[in-house]
PDB file of all heavy atoms in Angstrom:
ATOM      1  N   ARG K   8      -4.993  -0.652   4.844  1.00  0.00           N
ATOM      2  CA  ARG K   8      -4.903  -0.570   3.390  1.00  0.00           C
ATOM      3  C   ARG K   8      -4.840   0.745   2.752  1.00  0.00           C
ATOM      4  O   ARG K   8      -4.031   1.219   1.931  1.00  0.00           O
ATOM      5  CB  ARG K   8      -6.009  -1.503   2.762  1.00  0.00           C
ATOM      6  CG  ARG K   8      -5.794  -1.503   1.218  1.00  0.00           C
ATOM      7  CD  ARG K   8      -6.845  -2.537   0.642  1.00  0.00           C
ATOM      8  NE  ARG K   8      -6.752  -2.511  -0.730  1.00  0.00           N
ATOM      9  CZ  ARG K   8      -7.593  -1.920  -1.563  1.00  0.00           C
ATOM     10  NH1 ARG K   8      -8.598  -1.028  -1.037  1.00  0.00           N
ATOM     11  NH2 ARG K   8      -7.388  -2.016  -2.836  1.00  0.00           N
ATOM     12  N   ASN K   9      -5.900   1.566   3.124  1.00  0.00           N
ATOM     13  CA  ASN K   9      -6.037   2.944   2.592  1.00  0.00           C
ATOM     14  C   ASN K   9      -4.713   3.749   2.899  1.00  0.00           C
ATOM     15  O   ASN K   9      -4.296   4.502   2.099  1.00  0.00           O
ATOM     16  CB  ASN K   9      -7.230   3.613   3.193  1.00  0.00           C
ATOM     17  CG  ASN K   9      -8.486   3.036   2.706  1.00  0.00           C
ATOM     18  OD1 ASN K   9      -8.524   2.294   1.791  1.00  0.00           O
ATOM     19  ND2 ASN K   9      -9.636   3.362   3.421  1.00  0.00           N
ATOM     20  N   TRP K  10      -4.173   3.541   4.134  1.00  0.00           N
ATOM     21  CA  TRP K  10      -3.076   4.312   4.538  1.00  0.00           C
ATOM     22  C   TRP K  10      -1.852   3.887   3.650  1.00  0.00           C
ATOM     23  O   TRP K  10      -1.075   4.666   3.171  1.00  0.00           O
ATOM     24  CB  TRP K  10      -2.694   4.158   6.036  1.00  0.00           C
ATOM     25  CG  TRP K  10      -1.458   4.907   6.427  1.00  0.00           C
ATOM     26  CD1 TRP K  10      -1.476   6.186   6.843  1.00  0.00           C
ATOM     27  CD2 TRP K  10      -0.084   4.443   6.625  1.00  0.00           C
ATOM     28  NE1 TRP K  10      -0.187   6.587   7.199  1.00  0.00           N
ATOM     29  CE2 TRP K  10       0.538   5.476   7.027  1.00  0.00           C
ATOM     30  CE3 TRP K  10       0.411   3.238   6.321  1.00  0.00           C
ATOM     31  CZ2 TRP K  10       1.866   5.253   7.276  1.00  0.00           C
ATOM     32  CZ3 TRP K  10       1.809   3.112   6.505  1.00  0.00           C
ATOM     33  CH2 TRP K  10       2.601   4.175   6.979  1.00  0.00           C
ATOM     34  N   VAL K  11      -1.567   2.529   3.486  1.00  0.00           N
ATOM     35  CA  VAL K  11      -0.445   2.097   2.797  1.00  0.00           C
ATOM     36  C   VAL K  11      -0.615   2.602   1.346  1.00  0.00           C
ATOM     37  O   VAL K  11       0.328   2.980   0.653  1.00  0.00           O
ATOM     38  CB  VAL K  11      -0.325   0.633   2.769  1.00  0.00           C
ATOM     39  CG1 VAL K  11       0.703   0.052   1.831  1.00  0.00           C
ATOM     40  CG2 VAL K  11       0.060   0.196   4.190  1.00  0.00           C
ATOM     41  N   VAL K  12      -1.761   2.488   0.722  1.00  0.00           N
ATOM     42  CA  VAL K  12      -2.115   2.866  -0.588  1.00  0.00           C
ATOM     43  C   VAL K  12      -1.774   4.234  -0.820  1.00  0.00           C
ATOM     44  O   VAL K  12      -1.073   4.780  -1.857  1.00  0.00           O
ATOM     45  CB  VAL K  12      -3.533   2.486  -1.079  1.00  0.00           C
ATOM     46  CG1 VAL K  12      -3.866   3.190  -2.384  1.00  0.00           C
ATOM     47  CG2 VAL K  12      -3.734   1.031  -1.186  1.00  0.00           C
ATOM     48  N   SER K  13      -2.150   5.135   0.125  1.00  0.00           N
ATOM     49  CA  SER K  13      -1.980   6.598  -0.038  1.00  0.00           C
ATOM     50  C   SER K  13      -0.509   7.037   0.142  1.00  0.00           C
ATOM     51  O   SER K  13      -0.097   7.972  -0.440  1.00  0.00           O
ATOM     52  CB  SER K  13      -2.771   7.374   0.852  1.00  0.00           C
ATOM     53  OG  SER K  13      -2.311   7.093   2.232  1.00  0.00           O
ATOM     54  N   HIS K  14       0.308   6.176   0.784  1.00  0.00           N
ATOM     55  CA  HIS K  14       1.727   6.504   1.004  1.00  0.00           C
ATOM     56  C   HIS K  14       2.717   5.803   0.082  1.00  0.00           C
ATOM     57  O   HIS K  14       3.865   6.084   0.121  1.00  0.00           O
ATOM     58  CB  HIS K  14       2.188   6.082   2.498  1.00  0.00           C
ATOM     59  CG  HIS K  14       1.577   7.009   3.445  1.00  0.00           C
ATOM     60  ND1 HIS K  14       0.325   7.100   3.880  1.00  0.00           N
ATOM     61  CD2 HIS K  14       2.304   8.203   4.088  1.00  0.00           C
ATOM     62  CE1 HIS K  14       0.071   8.062   4.742  1.00  0.00           C
ATOM     63  NE2 HIS K  14       1.170   8.734   4.907  1.00  0.00           N
ATOM     64  N   MET K  15       2.215   4.912  -0.706  1.00  0.00           N
ATOM     65  CA  MET K  15       3.077   4.350  -1.682  1.00  0.00           C
ATOM     66  C   MET K  15       2.883   5.074  -3.063  1.00  0.00           C
ATOM     67  O   MET K  15       1.950   5.290  -3.596  1.00  0.00           O
ATOM     68  CB  MET K  15       2.649   2.842  -1.967  1.00  0.00           C
ATOM     69  CG  MET K  15       2.665   1.939  -0.777  1.00  0.00           C
ATOM     70  SD  MET K  15       4.290   1.600  -0.115  1.00  0.00           S
ATOM     71  CE  MET K  15       4.675   0.065  -0.997  1.00  0.00           C
ATOM     72  N   GLY K  16       4.100   5.382  -3.558  1.00  0.00           N
ATOM     73  CA  GLY K  16       4.023   6.238  -4.797  1.00  0.00           C
ATOM     74  C   GLY K  16       3.779   5.427  -6.085  1.00  0.00           C
ATOM     75  O   GLY K  16       3.939   4.187  -5.942  1.00  0.00           O
ATOM     76  N   GLY K  17       3.494   6.064  -7.084  1.00  0.00           N
ATOM     77  CA  GLY K  17       3.290   5.378  -8.345  1.00  0.00           C
ATOM     78  C   GLY K  17       1.862   4.923  -8.621  1.00  0.00           C
ATOM     79  O   GLY K  17       1.074   5.049  -7.954  1.00  0.00           O
ATOM     80  N   THR K  18       1.869   4.513  -9.952  1.00  0.00           N
ATOM     81  CA  THR K  18       0.506   4.014 -10.442  1.00  0.00           C
ATOM     82  C   THR K  18       0.779   2.666 -11.198  1.00  0.00           C
ATOM     83  O   THR K  18       1.771   2.392 -11.461  1.00  0.00           O
ATOM     84  CB  THR K  18      -0.175   5.098 -11.339  1.00  0.00           C
ATOM     85  OG1 THR K  18       0.623   5.318 -12.352  1.00  0.00           O
ATOM     86  CG2 THR K  18      -0.511   6.272 -10.482  1.00  0.00           C
ATOM     87  N   GLY K  19      -0.329   2.065 -11.626  1.00  0.00           N
ATOM     88  CA  GLY K  19      -0.216   0.987 -12.459  1.00  0.00           C
ATOM     89  C   GLY K  19      -0.640  -0.248 -11.920  1.00  0.00           C
ATOM     90  O   GLY K  19      -0.726  -0.459 -10.602  1.00  0.00           O
ATOM     91  N   ALA K  20      -0.888  -1.272 -12.723  1.00  0.00           N
ATOM     92  CA  ALA K  20      -1.280  -2.621 -12.319  1.00  0.00           C
ATOM     93  C   ALA K  20      -0.297  -3.239 -11.414  1.00  0.00           C
ATOM     94  O   ALA K  20      -0.613  -3.854 -10.386  1.00  0.00           O
ATOM     95  CB  ALA K  20      -1.701  -3.524 -13.486  1.00  0.00           C
ATOM     96  N   LEU K  21       0.976  -3.115 -11.752  1.00  0.00           N
ATOM     97  CA  LEU K  21       2.019  -3.914 -10.872  1.00  0.00           C
ATOM     98  C   LEU K  21       2.099  -3.268  -9.521  1.00  0.00           C
ATOM     99  O   LEU K  21       2.220  -4.042  -8.511  1.00  0.00           O
ATOM    100  CB  LEU K  21       3.359  -3.821 -11.678  1.00  0.00           C
ATOM    101  CG  LEU K  21       4.551  -4.447 -10.972  1.00  0.00           C
ATOM    102  CD1 LEU K  21       4.178  -5.978 -10.666  1.00  0.00           C
ATOM    103  CD2 LEU K  21       5.921  -4.362 -11.694  1.00  0.00           C
ATOM    104  N   ARG K  22       1.993  -2.008  -9.516  1.00  0.00           N
ATOM    105  CA  ARG K  22       2.120  -1.237  -8.155  1.00  0.00           C
ATOM    106  C   ARG K  22       0.839  -1.686  -7.300  1.00  0.00           C
ATOM    107  O   ARG K  22       0.925  -2.024  -6.201  1.00  0.00           O
ATOM    108  CB  ARG K  22       2.075   0.187  -8.359  1.00  0.00           C
ATOM    109  CG  ARG K  22       2.036   0.959  -7.010  1.00  0.00           C
ATOM    110  CD  ARG K  22       1.507   2.403  -7.273  1.00  0.00           C
ATOM    111  NE  ARG K  22       1.018   3.000  -6.100  1.00  0.00           N
ATOM    112  CZ  ARG K  22      -0.163   2.868  -5.539  1.00  0.00           C
ATOM    113  NH1 ARG K  22      -1.084   2.308  -6.219  1.00  0.00           N
ATOM    114  NH2 ARG K  22      -0.419   3.588  -4.354  1.00  0.00           N
ATOM    115  N   ASN K  23      -0.329  -1.644  -7.947  1.00  0.00           N
ATOM    116  CA  ASN K  23      -1.605  -2.217  -7.218  1.00  0.00           C
ATOM    117  C   ASN K  23      -1.395  -3.568  -6.672  1.00  0.00           C
ATOM    118  O   ASN K  23      -1.761  -3.805  -5.637  1.00  0.00           O
ATOM    119  CB  ASN K  23      -2.773  -1.926  -8.116  1.00  0.00           C
ATOM    120  CG  ASN K  23      -3.021  -0.475  -8.436  1.00  0.00           C
ATOM    121  OD1 ASN K  23      -2.571   0.326  -7.729  1.00  0.00           O
ATOM    122  ND2 ASN K  23      -3.812  -0.282  -9.578  1.00  0.00           N
ATOM    123  N   TYR K  24      -0.824  -4.478  -7.520  1.00  0.00           N
ATOM    124  CA  TYR K  24      -0.711  -5.829  -7.102  1.00  0.00           C
ATOM    125  C   TYR K  24       0.274  -5.966  -5.939  1.00  0.00           C
ATOM    126  O   TYR K  24      -0.002  -6.609  -5.001  1.00  0.00           O
ATOM    127  CB  TYR K  24      -0.198  -6.668  -8.377  1.00  0.00           C
ATOM    128  CG  TYR K  24       0.415  -7.983  -7.962  1.00  0.00           C
ATOM    129  CD1 TYR K  24      -0.505  -9.032  -7.758  1.00  0.00           C
ATOM    130  CD2 TYR K  24       1.684  -8.195  -7.718  1.00  0.00           C
ATOM    131  CE1 TYR K  24      -0.040 -10.311  -7.405  1.00  0.00           C
ATOM    132  CE2 TYR K  24       2.218  -9.494  -7.413  1.00  0.00           C
ATOM    133  CZ  TYR K  24       1.261 -10.562  -7.205  1.00  0.00           C
ATOM    134  OH  TYR K  24       1.682 -11.775  -6.954  1.00  0.00           O
ATOM    135  N   MET K  25       1.403  -5.204  -6.040  1.00  0.00           N
ATOM    136  CA  MET K  25       2.404  -5.336  -5.058  1.00  0.00           C
ATOM    137  C   MET K  25       1.901  -4.651  -3.722  1.00  0.00           C
ATOM    138  O   MET K  25       2.129  -5.252  -2.584  1.00  0.00           O
ATOM    139  CB  MET K  25       3.745  -4.549  -5.502  1.00  0.00           C
ATOM    140  CG  MET K  25       4.372  -5.356  -6.503  1.00  0.00           C
ATOM    141  SD  MET K  25       5.719  -4.577  -7.258  1.00  0.00           S
ATOM    142  CE  MET K  25       6.629  -3.838  -5.865  1.00  0.00           C
ATOM    143  N   VAL K  26       1.206  -3.530  -3.750  1.00  0.00           N
ATOM    144  CA  VAL K  26       0.728  -3.004  -2.546  1.00  0.00           C
ATOM    145  C   VAL K  26      -0.295  -3.881  -1.844  1.00  0.00           C
ATOM    146  O   VAL K  26      -0.239  -4.082  -0.724  1.00  0.00           O
ATOM    147  CB  VAL K  26       0.122  -1.635  -2.830  1.00  0.00           C
ATOM    148  CG1 VAL K  26      -0.652  -1.016  -1.669  1.00  0.00           C
ATOM    149  CG2 VAL K  26       1.267  -0.646  -3.282  1.00  0.00           C
ATOM    150  N   ASP K  27      -1.342  -4.359  -2.667  1.00  0.00           N
ATOM    151  CA  ASP K  27      -2.358  -5.121  -2.000  1.00  0.00           C
ATOM    152  C   ASP K  27      -1.780  -6.506  -1.529  1.00  0.00           C
ATOM    153  O   ASP K  27      -2.221  -6.925  -0.461  1.00  0.00           O
ATOM    154  CB  ASP K  27      -3.503  -5.520  -3.052  1.00  0.00           C
ATOM    155  CG  ASP K  27      -4.517  -4.372  -3.105  1.00  0.00           C
ATOM    156  OD1 ASP K  27      -4.645  -3.604  -2.131  1.00  0.00           O
ATOM    157  OD2 ASP K  27      -5.081  -4.191  -4.245  1.00  0.00           O
ATOM    158  N   THR K  28      -0.757  -7.076  -2.122  1.00  0.00           N
ATOM    159  CA  THR K  28      -0.155  -8.324  -1.678  1.00  0.00           C
ATOM    160  C   THR K  28       0.589  -8.019  -0.451  1.00  0.00           C
ATOM    161  O   THR K  28       0.420  -8.778   0.542  1.00  0.00           O
ATOM    162  CB  THR K  28       0.714  -8.833  -2.675  1.00  0.00           C
ATOM    163  OG1 THR K  28      -0.028  -9.157  -3.899  1.00  0.00           O
ATOM    164  CG2 THR K  28       1.484 -10.155  -2.308  1.00  0.00           C
ATOM    165  N   PHE K  29       1.354  -6.971  -0.459  1.00  0.00           N
ATOM    166  CA  PHE K  29       2.051  -6.539   0.925  1.00  0.00           C
ATOM    167  C   PHE K  29       1.090  -6.250   2.069  1.00  0.00           C
ATOM    168  O   PHE K  29       1.272  -6.940   3.085  1.00  0.00           O
ATOM    169  CB  PHE K  29       2.937  -5.378   0.666  1.00  0.00           C
ATOM    170  CG  PHE K  29       3.404  -4.860   1.927  1.00  0.00           C
ATOM    171  CD1 PHE K  29       4.449  -5.384   2.634  1.00  0.00           C
ATOM    172  CD2 PHE K  29       2.761  -3.612   2.522  1.00  0.00           C
ATOM    173  CE1 PHE K  29       4.876  -4.794   3.768  1.00  0.00           C
ATOM    174  CE2 PHE K  29       3.232  -3.102   3.710  1.00  0.00           C
ATOM    175  CZ  PHE K  29       4.318  -3.695   4.372  1.00  0.00           C
ATOM    176  N   VAL K  30      -0.018  -5.628   1.804  1.00  0.00           N
ATOM    177  CA  VAL K  30      -0.978  -5.265   2.763  1.00  0.00           C
ATOM    178  C   VAL K  30      -1.656  -6.539   3.373  1.00  0.00           C
ATOM    179  O   VAL K  30      -1.678  -6.917   4.539  1.00  0.00           O
ATOM    180  CB  VAL K  30      -2.206  -4.340   2.294  1.00  0.00           C
ATOM    181  CG1 VAL K  30      -3.246  -4.225   3.264  1.00  0.00           C
ATOM    182  CG2 VAL K  30      -1.397  -2.883   2.107  1.00  0.00           C
ATOM    183  N   PHE K  31      -1.970  -7.350   2.310  1.00  0.00           N
ATOM    184  CA  PHE K  31      -2.739  -8.638   2.761  1.00  0.00           C
ATOM    185  C   PHE K  31      -1.820  -9.493   3.589  1.00  0.00           C
ATOM    186  O   PHE K  31      -2.265 -10.108   4.619  1.00  0.00           O
ATOM    187  CB  PHE K  31      -3.212  -9.443   1.501  1.00  0.00           C
ATOM    188  CG  PHE K  31      -4.297 -10.363   1.746  1.00  0.00           C
ATOM    189  CD1 PHE K  31      -5.576 -10.037   2.023  1.00  0.00           C
ATOM    190  CD2 PHE K  31      -3.844 -11.719   1.687  1.00  0.00           C
ATOM    191  CE1 PHE K  31      -6.517 -11.113   2.034  1.00  0.00           C
ATOM    192  CE2 PHE K  31      -4.797 -12.751   1.915  1.00  0.00           C
ATOM    193  CZ  PHE K  31      -6.218 -12.376   2.138  1.00  0.00           C
ATOM    194  N   LEU K  32      -0.651  -9.725   3.134  1.00  0.00           N
ATOM    195  CA  LEU K  32       0.298 -10.577   3.810  1.00  0.00           C
ATOM    196  C   LEU K  32       0.725 -10.112   5.107  1.00  0.00           C
ATOM    197  O   LEU K  32       0.606 -10.810   6.174  1.00  0.00           O
ATOM    198  CB  LEU K  32       1.530 -10.925   2.866  1.00  0.00           C
ATOM    199  CG  LEU K  32       2.365 -12.075   3.270  1.00  0.00           C
ATOM    200  CD1 LEU K  32       1.622 -13.210   3.407  1.00  0.00           C
ATOM    201  CD2 LEU K  32       3.572 -12.169   2.270  1.00  0.00           C
ATOM    202  N   SER K  33       1.082  -8.859   5.219  1.00  0.00           N
ATOM    203  CA  SER K  33       1.617  -8.297   6.421  1.00  0.00           C
ATOM    204  C   SER K  33       0.576  -8.185   7.563  1.00  0.00           C
ATOM    205  O   SER K  33       0.772  -8.166   8.766  1.00  0.00           O
ATOM    206  CB  SER K  33       2.194  -6.922   6.255  1.00  0.00           C
ATOM    207  OG  SER K  33       1.320  -5.935   5.770  1.00  0.00           O
ATOM    208  N   PHE K  34      -0.688  -8.058   7.175  1.00  0.00           N
ATOM    209  CA  PHE K  34      -1.729  -7.828   8.153  1.00  0.00           C
ATOM    210  C   PHE K  34      -2.417  -9.172   8.566  1.00  0.00           C
ATOM    211  O   PHE K  34      -2.705  -9.474   9.620  1.00  0.00           O
ATOM    212  CB  PHE K  34      -2.812  -6.925   7.596  1.00  0.00           C
ATOM    213  CG  PHE K  34      -3.820  -6.328   8.668  1.00  0.00           C
ATOM    214  CD1 PHE K  34      -3.463  -5.226   9.336  1.00  0.00           C
ATOM    215  CD2 PHE K  34      -4.945  -7.035   9.020  1.00  0.00           C
ATOM    216  CE1 PHE K  34      -4.342  -4.701  10.259  1.00  0.00           C
ATOM    217  CE2 PHE K  34      -5.754  -6.537   9.849  1.00  0.00           C
ATOM    218  CZ  PHE K  34      -5.559  -5.357  10.534  1.00  0.00           C
ATOM    219  N   GLN K  35      -2.684 -10.083   7.531  1.00  0.00           N
ATOM    220  CA  GLN K  35      -3.357 -11.173   7.662  1.00  0.00           C
ATOM    221  C   GLN K  35      -2.625 -12.465   8.189  1.00  0.00           C
ATOM    222  O   GLN K  35      -3.344 -13.236   8.963  1.00  0.00           O
ATOM    223  CB  GLN K  35      -4.152 -11.573   6.329  1.00  0.00           C
ATOM    224  CG  GLN K  35      -5.232 -10.652   5.934  1.00  0.00           C
ATOM    225  CD  GLN K  35      -6.444 -10.529   6.815  1.00  0.00           C
ATOM    226  OE1 GLN K  35      -6.543 -11.334   7.774  1.00  0.00           O
ATOM    227  NE2 GLN K  35      -7.233  -9.544   6.642  1.00  0.00           N
ATOM    228  N   LEU K  36      -1.432 -12.747   7.672  1.00  0.00           N
ATOM    229  CA  LEU K  36      -0.703 -13.879   8.111  1.00  0.00           C
ATOM    230  C   LEU K  36      -0.665 -14.089   9.638  1.00  0.00           C
ATOM    231  O   LEU K  36      -0.981 -15.190  10.128  1.00  0.00           O
ATOM    232  CB  LEU K  36       0.641 -13.948   7.330  1.00  0.00           C
ATOM    233  CG  LEU K  36       1.365 -15.312   7.698  1.00  0.00           C
ATOM    234  CD1 LEU K  36       0.595 -16.469   7.333  1.00  0.00           C
ATOM    235  CD2 LEU K  36       2.817 -15.177   7.100  1.00  0.00           C
ATOM    236  N   PRO K  37      -0.209 -13.104  10.397  1.00  0.00           N
ATOM    237  CA  PRO K  37      -0.123 -13.367  11.818  1.00  0.00           C
ATOM    238  C   PRO K  37      -1.478 -13.571  12.507  1.00  0.00           C
ATOM    239  O   PRO K  37      -1.511 -14.491  13.331  1.00  0.00           O
ATOM    240  CB  PRO K  37       0.388 -12.004  12.350  1.00  0.00           C
ATOM    241  CG  PRO K  37       1.126 -11.364  11.231  1.00  0.00           C
ATOM    242  CD  PRO K  37       0.370 -11.806  10.009  1.00  0.00           C
ATOM    243  N   LEU K  38      -2.475 -12.933  11.968  1.00  0.00           N
ATOM    244  CA  LEU K  38      -3.806 -13.241  12.555  1.00  0.00           C
ATOM    245  C   LEU K  38      -4.360 -14.695  12.180  1.00  0.00           C
ATOM    246  O   LEU K  38      -5.078 -15.312  12.994  1.00  0.00           O
ATOM    247  CB  LEU K  38      -4.781 -12.143  12.007  1.00  0.00           C
ATOM    248  CG  LEU K  38      -4.456 -10.765  12.530  1.00  0.00           C
ATOM    249  CD1 LEU K  38      -5.417  -9.776  11.770  1.00  0.00           C
ATOM    250  CD2 LEU K  38      -4.452 -10.558  13.951  1.00  0.00           C
ATOM    251  N   TYR K  39      -3.975 -15.107  10.996  1.00  0.00           N
ATOM    252  CA  TYR K  39      -4.417 -16.324  10.560  1.00  0.00           C
ATOM    253  C   TYR K  39      -3.767 -17.456  11.308  1.00  0.00           C
ATOM    254  O   TYR K  39      -4.405 -18.395  11.767  1.00  0.00           O
ATOM    255  CB  TYR K  39      -4.017 -16.504   9.102  1.00  0.00           C
ATOM    256  CG  TYR K  39      -4.573 -17.828   8.330  1.00  0.00           C
ATOM    257  CD1 TYR K  39      -5.806 -18.133   8.165  1.00  0.00           C
ATOM    258  CD2 TYR K  39      -3.551 -18.748   7.879  1.00  0.00           C
ATOM    259  CE1 TYR K  39      -6.373 -19.281   7.629  1.00  0.00           C
ATOM    260  CE2 TYR K  39      -3.988 -19.945   7.274  1.00  0.00           C
ATOM    261  CZ  TYR K  39      -5.344 -20.158   7.125  1.00  0.00           C
ATOM    262  OH  TYR K  39      -5.724 -21.260   6.573  1.00  0.00           O
ATOM    263  N   ILE K  40      -2.514 -17.338  11.609  1.00  0.00           N
ATOM    264  CA  ILE K  40      -1.735 -18.293  12.456  1.00  0.00           C
ATOM    265  C   ILE K  40      -2.372 -18.332  13.906  1.00  0.00           C
ATOM    266  O   ILE K  40      -2.564 -19.511  14.475  1.00  0.00           O
ATOM    267  CB  ILE K  40      -0.346 -17.944  12.525  1.00  0.00           C
ATOM    268  CG1 ILE K  40       0.352 -18.197  11.204  1.00  0.00           C
ATOM    269  CG2 ILE K  40       0.483 -18.705  13.658  1.00  0.00           C
ATOM    270  CD1 ILE K  40       1.783 -17.581  11.022  1.00  0.00           C
TER     271      ILE K  40
END
């Protein structure tokens, strides 16, 4: 998460939402299954 956040440009609530959603989904879904 820290790595993705540091490499994604921009600021703001929408960016934070998109980054955290991407990180959560891309990392957790395969493990959850």
Side-chain angles (χ1 to χ4, degrees):
R8 179 178 179 261
N9 292 345
W10 182 84
V11 171
V12 166
S13 70
H14 285 80
M15 301 291 266
T18 59
L21 181 59
R22 175 202 165 267
N23 293 342
Y24 167 81
M25 290 173 42
V26 168
D27 276 332
T28 299
F29 168 75
V30 168
F31 194 80
L32 192 56
S33 65
F34 196 92
Q35 294 292 350
L36 182 60
L38 298 173
Y39 185 64
I40 291 169

